[in-house]
Amino acid sequence: MATLLHIDSSVFSTGASSSRAVTDAFRRIWQEQHPEGTVIHRDLAAQPVPHIDAHSHTAGFSDPATHTPEQAAAFAERVKLIEELESADAVLIGAPMYNLTIPSTLKAYLDNVVLMGRTAGDAQSIKGTPVTVVASRGGAYGPGTPREGYEYVQNYLSAILADFLGADLDFIVPELTMAPANPAMAELVPLFEASRERALDEATTKAKQLAQKLAA
């Protein structure tokens, strides 16, 4: 049966997190469609992975036979994350926008799993794997908006996940999530609510379609 790797990076709990609300909806539908399947949930806020250091970085560009004990230990942790990613039939990522880009915990995770010669470069060991990213954001950064030029979440993740890793990438984008909490955005609350409902509907639809595709 299919395996879903579900990665969350919001610092907030599900009740307070727009990205987690949508990833949970996706995951719930997935499990309904795949009751015998496996879900691996990696919560990067609760259990962050180590940031890349000199040992883990240089180990990725050298022959394992030449690794120092420090390099070997650091590289082994990267390999665990890579193998977990490679074992997934589909990947779901919650990626809220913090200060115009992704959370540092998600950046640390990606730094660990991007490995030239294995996941990236000519090899691309997860090439074609469907990856759905829930890219929530407090404002509006889509095409034609005043802040379009400040959108560094989808642009960055497209470069890493689609271009570097060769994943079959799809986005769900709940916008204006700060509207209910920010009096200055009060008039945008209806647009936020519409965006939230659209994102939840997309999560349901995409989860069903993907589950059925992998079950075929």
Side-chain angles (χ1 to χ4, degrees):
M1 296 297 292
T3 296
L4 174 68
L5 174 58
H6 172 187
I7 300 169
D8 278 318
S9 59
S10 172
V11 298
F12 299 105
S13 63
T14 298
S17 167
S18 294
S19 65
R20 287 183 189 265
V22 179
T23 59
D24 278 5
F26 186 107
R27 173 181 173 174
R28 186 165 56 251
I29 296 299
W30 171 278
Q31 289 177 308
E32 289 176 1
Q33 299 290 315
H34 277 293
E36 304 297 325
T38 300
V39 174
I40 301 170
H41 186 208
R42 183 168 285 280
D43 188 336
L44 298 176
Q47 294 182 305
V49 302
H51 284 271
I52 290 289
D53 62 13
H55 298 305
S56 56
H57 178 72
T58 55
F61 294 94
S62 58
D63 184 343
T66 68
H67 287 175
T68 65
E70 294 80 9
Q71 286 178 315
F75 191 61
E77 294 305 309
R78 290 186 66 183
V79 170
K80 289 179 183 177
L81 295 172
I82 290 169
E83 290 177 343
E84 180 180 78
L85 177 62
E86 291 173 336
S87 72
D89 297 290
V91 181
L92 172 65
I93 301 175
M97 177 186 281
Y98 292 162
N99 297 318
L100 305 180
T101 188
I102 62 174
S104 63
T105 51
L106 181 55
K107 176 63 164 60
Y109 172 84
L110 293 171
D111 285 342
N112 274 277
V113 299
V114 173
L115 180 61
M116 298 303 296
R118 181 162 178 174
T119 59
D122 294 334
Q124 292 184 317
S125 59
I126 71 159
K127 184 175 182 178
T129 299
V131 176
T132 303
V133 175
V134 178
S136 60
R137 47 210 193 187
Y141 295 82
T145 62
R147 294 193 174 189
E148 177 182 357
Y150 292 101
E151 202 295 299
Y152 301 114
V153 173
Q154 287 179 264
N155 287 341
Y156 171 71
L157 292 178
S158 293
I160 293 295
L161 296 170
D163 298 342
F164 271 39
L165 303 187
D168 181 6
L169 181 61
D170 197 9
F171 285 99
I172 300 173
V173 186
E175 292 193 309
L176 301 168
T177 62
M178 288 297 296
N182 185 349
M185 298 175 67
E187 64 181 17
L188 300 175
V189 169
L191 292 178
F192 153 71
E193 293 174 342
S195 178
R196 178 187 58 192
E197 292 307 310
R198 184 167 57 250
L200 292 170
D201 287 345
E202 287 182 20
T204 297
T205 299
K206 292 178 188 297
K208 286 182 178 178
Q209 291 174 342
L210 185 55
Q212 291 168 359
K213 179 181 178 180
L214 293 177

